[in-house]
Every structure is written in C-alpha cells, then in structure tokens.
Amino acid sequence: MMRHMLFALLLGVSITTAASAQTSARTDTGQVAGVADGTVISFKGIPYAVPPVGPLRWKAPEPAPSWAGVRDAKAYGNACPQLERKEAWAQVGPQSEDCLFLNVWRPAKPGKYPVMVFLHGGGFVYGAAGVPLYEGTGLAARGAVVVTINYRLGRLGYFAHPALTREDPDGKLGNFGVMDQIAALEWVKRNIASFGGDPGNVMLFGESAGAGAVQILMGSPAAAGLFHKAASQSGSGSTVLAPIRGGAINAEMLGQKFTDELGLKDATAAQLRAIPVAEIIKARAFPFIDGKVVTMSPGEAFYKNKQMRIPLIIGSNSNESSLGGMTEATAKMVLGSAFPELHAGYVALTGKSSDAAAVDLAEGLGFVLPSIAVADQHAATGNKAFAYFFDQVPVDQRAAAAGTDHGGELEYLFGNKAAEHRWDAEDLRVSKQMGDYWVRFATTGDPNGKGAVRWPVVTAPPTDYLVIDAKPRAARLAPVEEKAKAAAMAAAIRTWTAPAAP
C-alpha cells in the first residue's frame, strides 16, 4: 500500500514538474512563467527593450536588462501612451512610457513551429499588443508561435528635432517606433526557439499602420534577415513619406513647430525630454524617411526593386471607406481629368449609383488598387505574391453593411469575435479558412492546402486575387480597375523617382 502511495506521489511530482517546465521558458535576459490554457501556452508582458523613459526618451531601443528568478508572464504589459478612444479595438488598458513589451502564444505540444509576429494598427498613434482582438490562442492552436508587440506611438515614436540631431548626428534618428519593431524582431531571432518557434521561419504580418510598417521593413536594410514571409493587410502602397530634412515639409521642421508652439524655442534635448507626456500625445506623428532605418516610403522599395525577396500576402477590405476621407472629391483630386471616364467605368462595373460608385473608386485609389500594385511589382521581380479582397461581415450587420470595414478582417483572422458582434456558421467558416490560409503561408510560404479553395499566385496584370468571404473564389481585376490602378500609383511613382531635395 505504501509503495502504491509513494508511486502515486512520485507520479504527481513528475506531472507537476513537466507542467511547470512546459509553462516556463528561458530568454537571454531571464526565465518567464506563462499560463497553459488547453492546447496553447501564453506568455504576456515580456520586456524586449529597456524602458524608454527619462534620458532614454527619443533614443533607439536598447536590449532589456536581465532579471533574477522567474518573471511572471501572465498579464499584458503597459500600452504605449496615446489619447483615449471609445472603439473596442482601442481599449488598451494601463499606459506608460515603460511599454516595450511583447506577448507569445505557443502550442503546448513540443515542436519547431513557424513564427507569426503581428504589428497592430492605429494610424501610428493608437493601439497595443494587448487588445483582446489580437489574443493569439486561435492562431497558435493551428500550429504556430504567435507574437504581438507594443511599439512607441505618436510623437513619442516618430519625432525629429534639431536638438536631438545635434545630440547624435550620426545616430539613428526619429523613427523610434520602427526601431522598436526591429528590436522586437531581433528579440524573436535570439529567443523564440525557447518557445518552440523556428527563428529561421518568421512571418511578419500587420494591419493598417502595421501593414505600412511591414512594407517599410521589407525595404529597410536594418531589418534584413529578421523575417522570411510577410502579410500587409489594408496598408495601401502609394503612401509618400516626408524626409527628415530638406524639401518643402520635413520631419525636423514639424518637430520644431511642435516645440515652438509649447514655448520651447531653441530647446535643448534635456528640455525636450522634460515635456509632459500629456502634451506629447496630443500631436499626431508618423514615420518619415531618415535614411538609415526608414529608407523609403512603404511601397517605394517594390518599384525600385529593393524589397526583401520573400513571399508576400497583401490585400484590403471591401469597405475601407469606413476609415474616412474616401469620397468623390478625393477621387477627383487624385484623378483630375481622368475622373469622368473611370467613374463611368465603375458605375458600369459595379451597377451602383453614381455616388456609391464614386466611393468605390476612391476606395480603390486609396487602398485596394495600390495594394494590388505592390503585389504586381513584387511578382514582376520573381517573388511569390498573393493578393486578396476580404468581404465578410458578421451576421448581425450583414443586411445593412456597405462591406467589411477597415480592420474588420482581424476578428476572423485571430478567431476572436468582437463583443459587439454575433457570428453564425458562415462567419465561423470564414474565420477558420482565413486562419488556415495565414498559418499555411507562415509554414511554407504558400497559403494553399488540401481542401481549400485555390488562392492564385500573382503573375502579370490583369491581376489575379482571392475573394475571401463565405464563398471564397479566385477573381481578376477588370480593365477599368487596371486603369484606375495605374492612375492611383502615378503620383506616388513621380514623387519616389524625383531627384532628392538638396
């Protein structure tokens, strides 16, 4: 009897020890303890860089310091400072300048899994890795290690000023949020094997601002070798970034205007770092071309054949106009004298009213067609590219919706139904197929697989793409869309190829 009790006790110890080992991982700065939830283990709030506070505000990220013992990794870290918003996706929790944390979800079963690193959206001024929408259990359960990261936002993340330039003229200047993203990818390269991930098989994917960052990083020498596949979701491709200096408008000029308005003329770097956070987050700010980290605008590298030679998924949603600004007036401004012909073509193509077709045209010019143009350019230089158009709406909104809003694909991709929505069997099916496509792509560089509707690879215009909805199908751009695509990119290409300002 005692022998049986001793055996049971030893068995219990052995099971406990195995479970403990399974929910812990060792990084290059210390051990972390996560949480097992069914077939997935999560690790939250892992610091990947030194807190960028005090004298480190507006400096390039440095590796996180080591800690003794086992760090609890059961709760998300602070979000980076930002203004409050009411939308569910912007409920980011506690905020602090000490915000450079990442989160990892891994399958509980030991293995060597592809890694999926997600860059959140929010216009470079909102968002966080800990938003419930981005919870990684659903994707990880399919057989991937999923990583979400915080990065500095707004003027804390994107700020150039003559005083900071004088402090370190040969350093990495201004694009601190992009530097954070690179630092997180370097952390992944060093540490992800401890979480069952393959550091040689990393997919970077992002939505909106995160998608723009994916394109920026595909053209940045500083990110070379840090990821091996990419997905850009609703990130356009025709954006033109300002330079750090030179030209009619530049980042240093905007930075100095910001501090001048605070009464800090001829400010020193120390005075800048003493500005209250509450003042800093009031001002919007975006990446700019600094020449070292951000070397080109998001789509520019693809046109100059300087992008990473890796497989790419890129696409957009059916109601990107929900973001605002995509109106008939916008389309007229972009197209000029070409507007009447293309507008008439969209009326014929869509069968919609004149006003609705004009919005579709503006939406195409702003998001849909530049994304597909990037796919064309990537394929033209011998790389695998897969384009998509997402058009699924939750059942409670389906009857009245104009299409899938900007960001509306994310709840399907992550498998996290938004609290304000209802799903039916159709929504569940779309979520499964989209998650499967993305994980297969992360694994092999090709989203296709047994039993799935075939996603055509992009070859040459007219461009083939996949419509992702309840009845996924291959489609091809119509001639009028091809014309609009060329018009959408023309102005951006002229800017990218213009001689540099002195």
Side-chain angles (χ1 to χ4, degrees):
M1 181 67 162
M2 286 295 294
R3 289 177 63 190
H4 289 160
M5 288 177 63
L6 180 59
F7 177 75
L9 181 63
L10 289 172
L11 181 61
V13 168
S14 135
I15 291 171
T16 302
T17 303
S20 173
Q22 198 176 35
T23 55
S24 66
R26 181 165 294 281
T27 73
D28 57 357
T29 50
Q31 193 167 351
V32 291
V35 177
D37 182 10
T39 59
V40 172
I41 302 169
S42 64
F43 302 83
K44 298 174 181 174
I46 304 173
Y48 68 85
V50 172
V53 300
L56 296 182
R57 178 194 280 180
W58 291 317
K59 288 207 171 176
E62 299 176 5
S66 299
W67 58 82
V70 180
R71 182 186 178 99
D72 185 277
K74 299 175 183 176
Y76 294 118
N78 298 318
C80 294
Q82 57 197 275
L83 292 174
E84 291 187 6
R85 292 187 63 154
K86 295 180 180 179
E87 299 94 327
W89 64 264
Q91 302 310 296
V92 300
Q95 300 178 23
S96 168
E97 282 191 81
D98 178 6
C99 64
L100 300 186
F101 300 98
L102 56 76
N103 315 296
V104 180
W105 290 262
R106 60 152 299 168
K109 184 179 179 181
K112 190 175 184 180
Y113 296 98
V115 183
M116 302 176 70
V117 180
F118 179 68
L119 303 180
H120 69 77
F124 296 104
V125 292
Y126 297 105
V131 173
L133 180 62
Y134 312 139
E135 208 277 339
T137 297
L139 284 177
R142 288 174 160 83
V145 173
V146 178
V147 181
T148 64
I149 73 165
N150 287 344
Y151 55 91
R152 280 174 278 182
L153 302 169
R155 284 216 182 274
L156 286 169
Y158 307 96
F159 181 54
H161 191 282
L164 297 177
T165 302
R166 286 193 297 270
E167 181 182 60
D168 188 12
D170 297 320
K172 295 177 180 177
L173 300 170
N175 286 297
F176 306 105
V178 177
M179 295 180 214
D180 294 342
Q181 294 164 0
I182 292 171
L185 287 165
E186 290 171 340
W187 183 97
V188 167
K189 184 174 183 178
R190 296 193 308 269
N191 293 290
I192 207 64
S194 297
F195 298 84
D198 181 356
N201 190 14
V202 176
M203 172 185 172
L204 184 66
F205 68 122
E207 184 269 339
S208 192
V214 167
Q215 293 181 34
I216 287 171
L217 291 171
M218 284 186 70
S220 173
L226 295 178
F227 56 100
H228 315 93
K229 303 171 184 70
S232 176
Q233 301 169 214
S234 298
S236 187
S238 58
T239 304
V240 175
L241 301 182
I244 188 169
R245 63 184 67 89
I249 297 177
N250 63 62
E252 283 192 355
M253 179 192 305
L254 294 174
Q256 185 148 14
K257 181 175 183 292
F258 165 66
T259 55
D260 285 352
E261 289 173 352
L262 292 177
L264 293 173
K265 292 184 181 294
D266 300 319
T268 65
Q271 287 175 313
L272 297 181
R273 293 192 173 98
I275 299 172
V277 171
E279 289 295 332
I280 296 170
I281 64 174
K282 290 178 183 176
R284 297 181 70 87
F286 311 96
F288 49 86
I289 295 173
D290 63 75
K292 290 186 178 181
V293 177
V294 179
T295 55
M296 287 175 279
S297 294
E300 183 179 359
F302 297 86
Y303 277 81
K304 293 183 174 177
N305 196 18
K306 293 182 178 180
Q307 80 279 27
M308 289 183 183
R309 303 292 197 268
I310 61 175
L312 173 69
I313 283 175
I314 188 167
S316 51
N317 296 348
S318 56
N319 189 31
E320 297 287 1
S321 59
S322 63
L323 193 61
M326 280 161 267
T327 64
E328 181 173 331
T330 304
K332 286 180 175 177
M333 181 180 67
V334 172
L335 295 173
S337 61
F339 175 80
E341 177 190 353
L342 290 172
H343 178 231
Y346 263 69
V347 170
L349 176 69
T350 64
K352 294 181 179 180
S353 69
S354 175
D355 289 348
V359 171
D360 279 359
L361 175 55
E363 197 169 63
L365 296 170
F367 275 91
V368 179
L369 299 174
S371 293
I372 289 180
V374 166
D376 290 340
Q377 291 299 126
H378 199 52
T381 50
N383 306 290
K384 272 191 176 181
F386 299 89
Y388 74 88
F389 184 74
F390 189 88
D391 190 27
Q392 182 67 19
V393 176
V395 64
D396 57 299
Q397 298 184 323
R398 204 170 291 155
T404 307
D405 287 353
H406 183 74
E409 87 285 5
L410 290 171
E411 62 182 282
Y412 292 96
L413 174 57
F414 282 93
N416 299 323
K417 180 186 71 64
E420 66 270 26
H421 294 161
R422 286 190 296 108
W423 278 9
D424 61 6
E426 183 178 297
D427 294 311
L428 289 167
R429 187 166 65 251
V430 172
S431 178
K432 182 181 185 307
Q433 73 183 16
M434 190 176 191
D436 287 347
Y437 277 129
W438 259 243
V439 171
R440 281 193 296 265
F441 180 78
T443 305
T444 68
D446 189 325
N448 291 295
K450 187 176 181 180
V453 171
R454 182 151 190 83
W455 189 335
V457 66
V458 173
T459 52
T463 313
D464 293 312
Y465 61 95
L466 183 73
V467 177
I468 301 177
D469 61 10
K471 297 179 180 178
R473 60 205 176 276
R476 177 170 289 177
L477 285 189
V480 68
E481 293 173 306
E482 287 289 340
K483 286 184 179 180
K485 180 176 69 177
M489 299 307 298
I493 293 169
R494 283 196 300 271
T495 303
W496 296 336
T497 55

